[in-house]
Amino acid sequence: MRAIYLTGFMGSGKTTIGKALGEALKLPIIDTDEWIVERHQKQIRDIFADEGEDAFRRYEREALMQLPKENIVITTGGGIVIQKENRERMKDTGLVFYLQCDLDEIYRRLENDTSRPLLDGQKRLNMERLMNERQSWYEEAHVTIPVAARTVDEIVEAIVNVIKDRQNGDNN
Ligand code: S3P
């Protein structure tokens, strides 16, 4: 099976859903942020502070290009879609799901979070700016899955159903 990619804004639940999805499909899961932290032995916040966002984006692209393309669930950082090369790589090598969540819900989830450097300062405004920049890139995914009012199990079931339909040759 081709890789399954989960994309979406920070706080949309990619990592949590990815873990449950990997279990449901009996596939290994790799998270691009975790891959970067392990590879560079540095937390994301420290990479941003010491080396800048451009370096982080380079590491993110490297991660994506090196990860397996089959029989795997890949969860991504919210900014993976910024680079066209990344969007193309994901679409060319797998099935891309956008976990779509409204900003009010994301704000509630991340209100007290301090781990995301791009949200430092005016958190809500920063979220709006980033979402405006990225929304159309997220929407390039093969499938959009609304997540806000659903449980993890419901979301995983929806994703598994899409995968099964696709395997049965029904692309709609
Ligand atoms: C980022 C999202 C983060 C992490 C980094 C940058 C972004 O991942 O990659 O802080 O640009 O949206 P999550 O989406 O897992 O929070």
Side-chain angles (χ1 to χ4, degrees):
M1 190 200 290
R2 278 150 56 93
I4 313 282
Y5 294 97
L6 298 189
T7 66
F9 203 79
M10 295 172 255
S12 58
K14 301 177 295 283
T15 311
T16 309
I17 306 294
K19 283 192 180 127
L21 181 66
E23 279 168 26
L25 296 172
K26 300 193 171 41
L27 291 178
I29 308 126
I30 298 185
D31 180 79
T32 55
D33 281 348
E34 282 174 18
W35 189 93
I36 292 167
V37 169
E38 256 174 54
R39 168 78 175 256
H40 297 274
Q41 290 296 302
K42 218 171 182 179
Q43 294 304 310
I44 306 283
R45 175 170 277 291
D46 296 329
I47 297 175
F48 270 77
D50 299 346
E51 303 172 50
E53 180 172 351
D54 285 354
F56 176 75
R57 298 299 173 205
R58 195 165 64 243
Y59 299 157
E60 202 168 39
R61 192 171 62 242
E62 278 166 15
L64 203 55
M65 301 305 156
Q66 288 181 35
L67 291 177
K69 294 177 284 185
E70 286 190 345
N71 298 319
I72 190 155
V73 173
I74 297 176
T75 61
T76 60
I80 202 101
V81 295
I82 294 172
Q83 300 177 76
K84 185 162 189 263
E85 203 179 333
N86 293 348
R87 302 197 299 276
E88 284 174 356
R89 167 78 177 192
M90 294 191 289
K91 281 188 282 190
D92 288 349
T93 59
L95 188 55
V96 186
F97 288 89
Y98 165 37
L99 304 187
Q100 189 269 329
C101 190
D102 60 276
L103 280 190
D104 286 341
E105 173 62 21
I106 288 180
Y107 185 72
R108 267 194 293 278
R109 294 180 186 185
L110 297 186
E111 206 172 352
N112 299 312
D113 174 84
T114 54
S115 68
R116 276 113 169 158
L118 290 181
L119 298 183
D120 285 351
Q122 302 246 44
K123 187 174 275 184
R124 176 75 203 211
L125 279 179
N126 290 339
M127 283 171 39
E128 280 166 14
R129 178 179 52 79
L130 291 171
M131 186 59 113
N132 282 339
E133 276 169 24
R134 297 175 179 177
Q135 187 152 359
S136 63
W137 294 327
Y138 288 131
E139 288 169 355
E140 287 182 23
H142 294 113
V143 188
T144 295
I145 303 276
V147 296
R150 297 162 105 179
T151 65
V152 172
D153 285 350
E154 286 168 348
I155 298 162
V156 167
E157 194 186 341
I159 296 174
V160 169
N161 285 339
V162 170
I163 295 169
K164 281 187 188 154
D165 286 349
R166 295 235 166 190
Q167 282 171 340
N168 293 334
D170 172 7
N171 279 347
N172 302 305

